[in-house]
Amino acid sequence: MSLADRHITALMRQLATQDVVELIHPFAEWQTFGALAYIAECYGFRYADVRLVGKHRIAHIYLVRDDSPQAQQRAAANRSAFPDPGPGRPVPGMYLGSLTPVPEAQPDVDLITTLIRYDAAGAAANRKQLLTMAWAFPLLFLLLAVVTGKYAVILPVAVLTPVFVLVSLRINATRRARLAERLTAAGCTPVRDESGRERFARPVPHTA
């Protein structure tokens, strides 16, 4: 069984038994998550959020059941057209045996992928926390230098730490701005969620 088949099998198992689906594939590319989310949306779910979990910031992608009439109608149509998705069998919007979108599904997969990347970039850059680190760590290193007397070794680290953090914030902000431009061009609307995070609401998916 190919890796794509394993991903699809695991996804379909969750879709059949759960109202909230969690995708965790540590080495998967963003496009893979976008393709899996697209398939899920064909069966009555919708992309909800992404969280970066643990020390290694592994992406957890969350999908929730969509009870809207349009989503349920789309799900019924796809269950009729693709009644037994899995290894060696077709799934909506993908070439057989792969997670490569067919041309008509590519725009929707790209849009979902961009949404996931935008949310992930926001999760990766907790600006308040990183700014606190940028100034707290140099003070800690300065204190350590005073205690140990190793100024030549520790002071450069104290200086470089805030520079590194601020440059990382700038790079992430630039990347996120580019993703926001793509989402706006695709007709998505900027919103703030219940926790105050900047996100995008997209047009109703056209998957069928």
Side-chain angles (χ1 to χ4, degrees), residues 15-195:
L15 296 183
T17 59
Q18 300 171 199
D19 290 328
V20 178
V21 170
E22 184 178 13
L23 303 178
I24 310 171
H25 304 302
F27 303 106
E29 298 179 353
W30 293 118
Q31 188 78 7
T32 297
F33 286 121
L36 290 170
Y38 174 93
I39 295 170
E41 292 195 346
C42 288
Y43 287 98
F45 283 72
R46 60 180 172 82
Y47 164 67
D49 205 356
V50 57
R51 291 281 187 266
L52 302 181
V53 179
K55 181 174 66 174
H56 300 293
R57 310 295 280 165
I58 294 174
H60 291 226
I61 313 300
Y62 295 94
L63 313 166
V64 297
R65 193 174 296 279
D66 187 346
D67 293 324
S68 68
Q70 183 177 24
Q72 292 307 306
Q73 182 179 8
R74 186 170 64 247
N78 280 298
R79 280 193 292 268
S80 176
F82 304 92
D84 189 27
R89 299 182 295 277
V91 296
M94 303 294 143
Y95 286 107
L96 184 64
S98 78
L99 286 171
T100 301
V102 297
E104 55 267 31
Q106 188 71 62
D108 281 329
V109 173
D110 288 343
L111 181 55
I112 298 171
T113 302
T114 304
L115 279 168
I116 293 172
R117 290 181 60 197
Y118 182 85
D119 289 342
N126 185 326
R127 185 175 180 83
K128 184 177 180 180
Q129 183 183 43
L130 288 175
L131 286 175
T132 299
M133 290 170 54
W135 303 116
F137 281 147
L139 292 176
L140 178 62
F141 287 131
L142 180 60
L143 177 61
L144 186 61
V146 171
V147 172
T148 63
K150 297 181 179 180
Y151 293 96
V153 175
I154 297 176
L155 287 184
V157 178
V159 172
L160 290 174
T161 297
V163 172
F164 174 77
V165 172
L166 293 174
V167 168
S168 296
L169 277 172
R170 181 60 180 171
I171 292 173
N172 189 76
T174 300
R175 181 182 297 119
R176 204 163 187 240
R178 289 172 181 165
L179 294 171
E181 289 177 1
R182 294 185 201 171
L183 293 171
T184 300
C188 297
T189 305
V191 297
R192 286 190 180 273
D193 66 11
E194 60 277 3
S195 63

